Amino acid sequence: MAESRLETVDMFINMGPQHPSTHGVFRMVLTIDGEQIVDMKPHIGYLHRGVEKLAEGLRYREVTVLLDRTDYLAALNNELPYVMALEKLLDVKVPERAEYIRVLVCELNRIASHLMFYGAFGADAGATTPFMYAFRDREEIQHFFEAVTGGRLMHNYFRVGGVRYDLPEDWRERLTKLIPHLRKGIVDCERLLSDNEIFLNRTIGVGQISAADAIDYGLTGPNLRACGVRLDLRRDQPYSVYPKLEFDVPTRSRGDCYDRYLLRVEEMRQSLRIVEQCLEQMPDGPSLGEVPRVIRPKEGEVYVGTENPRGEYGIYLVSRGGDYPYRVKVRAPSFCNLMALNEMMRGCYIADCVLILGSIDIVLGEVDR
Amino acid sequence: MPEWVESIIRVAIAIGFVLTTVLVLIWLERKVIGHIQQRLGPMRTGFHGFLQSPADAVKLLVKEDIIPAAADRWAFQLAPALVFVPIFLTVVSIPFTRTLVVRNLDLGLFYVFAISSISIVGIVMAGWASGNKYALLGSVRAGAQMVSYEIPLVFSILGVAMVAGSLNLETIVDAQRGLWYIVLQPVGMFIFLVASLAELNRTPFDIPVAESEVVGGPYVEYSGIRWGVFFLSEYANTFIISALAAVVFLAGWRGPLLPGWLWFLIKTYAIILIIFWFRATLPRLRIDQLMTFAWKLLLPLAFVNLLITGLYLVYDWPRWILFVASVAVLAVASRLVYVVGRA
Amino acid sequence: MLGMLKGLMTTMQSHFRKPVTIQYPDERPDLPPRYAGFPGLIWDANVGEPFCTGCQVCARFCPTQCIYVTMKDNPKVGDGTSKRRKIVDEFELNVSCCTQCAVCVEVCNFDAIEMTHTFEMASYSREQVMNLQDMLSMKEKGGP
């Protein structure tokens, strides 16, 4: 810029904790030069409830209730690593039907979570309708969950050695109705945004991060795969019945907002494929295995990581005997993904900053725990 | 009846009409967007929520009017009026039919644009006086955007003025006997619609008030009826711009069978519905893209349009050449955007 | 332009589809049998008393400790109408902190508690929230 005699100063602006597009109570202190961001300092902890510490005061059976409330958009996906960890400690066999039920509801929950991302991302970009489309379809998934688990968001469904209830009698009808509905919904979502020139202009090349940086920052999940790293724990550290199911792990190459968006839309399709296979292959049998009435695992420690909609959700469980866990450490994907925020945001516009935060798809309940 | 009494009555009727229209528009927008999103929109007050906007207006009236401590008191209080008044002044010269007009001015077109530009000052003032950084950002955005888009807006309408040979809105409508100017001036119509969307701060150009970025922009600190006035003037402006487009490009009250005022309303509401439809579909541009769009695309396009119209007038070409040339310009322009955008 | 037109067509199509929302207080949501609202005790119609014996296992296992139960001697044991020696005296549920997790249902040894379909808990004051348990009238089970 030419020599200017006008003296300019950078302005600080507080985005959040009460801001419509910080996805909860996240606070960013932005240093801005006009519309451009010079520096960004994230502040987290506004939703800290001490889940990990609270878990130490609860019996093993009750901890799932808390873990539901970390990543509240994908509650079932959080319960999974915990019950798997506990099963490892207790040496409990899980019946196959239970495993299939788990995968089925987890994948549905993944779709619900990604739909939520889609809606919020559209709203961040300034379109009003994507949010409503996403909620229309998510509502159907939640109806299914209501019938299966009794809850809409907080399910408390997985148990050591299986699931709490077997599927309801009419689950096949419900699911066969749900799948085409979702398939159509995803098409709607795609047609609304994926090719829209304004949307492309807003997202392509925005918030780019290279694969090497992404690995250094410890990104996982869709954010990492959008950079071209094909890492999906469902495929690379297979657990449950995922090896028996057929699905692709989509990747993109650029690692910008648009890739992260498109990747999630594609993942919804893959999840739907898994759900369909579960519907076909669902075996008969018990839904809850042989489990001791009192859960009192032997001394030991175990880490289990599973693929959450946001990345690797890990539970590190330490037992010193007794009724209560000694330590429940949560490896929260949103928390780790958030670390790359500063890298992505440097030099972008205020409007982009909202989009980038949206594209990382954080859930504050899980970041702060 | 003395003439001044009659003028006052005419103005009062016009303002009353616009106020009612605004209430209808707010209801209509909520219903249309609701149905697009597979919801029902307001349903509780009156038939299909028809009384929702009066109820909202009453709510806004009884709400506490908060002036923030950091605000510049006088500017803060004056700003809504500064936005509100010019918009209502423009109603004066818009002809609903040949007789249904408060005052037909010889420079009608010029008058409308000259007056409506003033409201920018009010918005910038509101943002500045709020003493809020988001409001400031919003008003800076508003200033940049609305001043830039004023230029293509005016240029787009110049072509019509050239073809019609007048700035008098009534003459312009009369000149469209047989052939609407949307045929002769498609480029002008396109630029006018796009630029007026930006002028109205509506999606996809709602950057100054962007809810997800600057939380309502200049209006963030306003509450109660002061905010209501901004809201009202936004919708009044939507109506006026649509009415203007109907008059200038769609031949106003001209049409077969139905009475003139009905034709006028049908055309106006058609344009309004298109604006609502855009609102429900499109995401928002970024401020730099917005400025690029105005200065690098709309303005050159407007110049080309003027050039072609001038050639048409000077060499007395037949009308279809103007139509074909305009469509060709539009096609080339959109192709160019596509190619440049991809690169 | 084409992508935008595609989006516009999509919204236009959905404009003519049937709305998916319901008019809530007039139309009631269709709740599946497993729907977990607030927990409530079940009434044994054969004997004319609740199934609950006041054993407090639910109160102990409740993650938010929102259940308060006391036990008393069952007056009906004397005349032989009931086999339960102990019976619930008071059962209080703090509705404002119940998270509807259904742990109480799971741990109950007598199947005396279940998740009701009560979900409307909006009220004007904290006291009213505490009183909401009046709404959770006991559901009858069994009977002649």
Side-chain angles (χ1 to χ4, degrees), chain A residues 149 155-159 162-166 287-288, chain C residues 101-102 106:
Chain A
T149 72
H155 305 288
N156 192 19
Y157 183 55
F158 293 169
R159 289 289 175 273
V163 292
R164 194 166 97 211
Y165 312 116
D166 201 347
S287 64
L288 192 63
Chain C
C101 64
E106 210 185 338

Side-chain angles (χ1 to χ4, degrees), chain A residues 184-349:
Chain A
K184 216 170 118 217
I186 295 171
V187 170
D188 258 5
C189 293
E190 273 241 271
R191 284 180 58 197
L192 192 58
L193 275 188
S194 295
D195 292 331
N196 190 314
E197 279 82 0
I198 297 176
F199 185 73
L200 294 179
N201 271 326
R202 280 296 302 279
T203 50
I204 288 183
V206 170
Q208 220 160 351
I209 190 162
S210 67
D213 278 345
I215 293 170
D216 286 351
Y217 276 110
L219 296 193
T220 44
N223 294 323
L224 181 65
R225 291 196 284 276
C227 307
V229 183
R230 198 180 289 270
L231 177 78
D232 188 325
L233 296 186
R234 289 176 292 176
R235 199 196 57 154
D236 298 324
Q237 297 174 12
Y239 53 90
S240 203
V241 285
Y242 279 113
K244 292 182 196 166
L245 300 167
E246 206 179 294
F247 62 96
D248 298 334
V249 179
T251 52
R252 309 275 305 170
S253 55
R254 242 182 336 234
D256 55 8
C257 286
Y258 185 66
D259 279 1
R260 289 195 277 272
Y261 157 82
L262 218 56
L263 189 92
R264 286 195 176 92
V265 175
E266 184 53 37
E267 271 192 11
M268 284 197 264
R269 293 225 168 83
Q270 297 302 331
S271 292
L272 217 50
R273 259 178 80 189
I274 297 179
V275 170
E276 272 177 343
Q277 289 171 44
C278 286
L279 177 68
E280 283 165 19
Q281 300 173 13
M282 183 68 71
D284 290 327
S287 64
L288 192 63
E290 296 278 316
V291 187
R293 176 104 186 137
V294 180
I295 299 172
R296 199 169 286 156
K298 59 180 188 293
E299 264 185 49
E301 52 190 79
V302 63
Y303 174 83
V304 173
T306 56
E307 187 74 19
N308 184 274
R310 278 157 199 85
E312 177 181 349
Y313 191 98
I315 294 283
Y316 175 63
L317 188 66
V318 183
S319 158
R320 293 273 168 98
D323 286 343
Y324 300 90
Y326 180 76
R327 177 92 172 92
V328 181
K329 163 84 179 91
V330 179
R331 192 257 181 220
S334 296
F335 178 74
C336 301
N337 292 346
L338 200 57
M339 295 307 120
L341 191 64
N342 215 335
E343 176 79 23
M344 293 177 188
M345 268 190 194
R346 208 158 289 144
C348 72
Y349 290 82

Side-chain angles (χ1 to χ4, degrees), chain C residues 83-95:
Chain C
K83 277 184 279 177
R84 294 184 186 85
R85 275 188 296 156
K86 300 284 184 184
I87 193 118
V88 59
D89 183 20
E90 281 178 70
F91 180 89
E92 261 180 38
L93 177 74
N94 187 346
V95 186

Side-chain angles (χ1 to χ4, degrees), chain A residues 12 14 21 35 125 129 136, chain B residues 38 133-134 141 212 280 284:
Chain A
F12 288 99
N14 241 323
S21 51
E35 281 273 340
T129 308
R136 176 190 70 196
Chain B
Q38 292 188 265
K133 286 173 178 174
Y134 282 112
R141 285 172 168 201
S212 61
R284 186 184 302 127

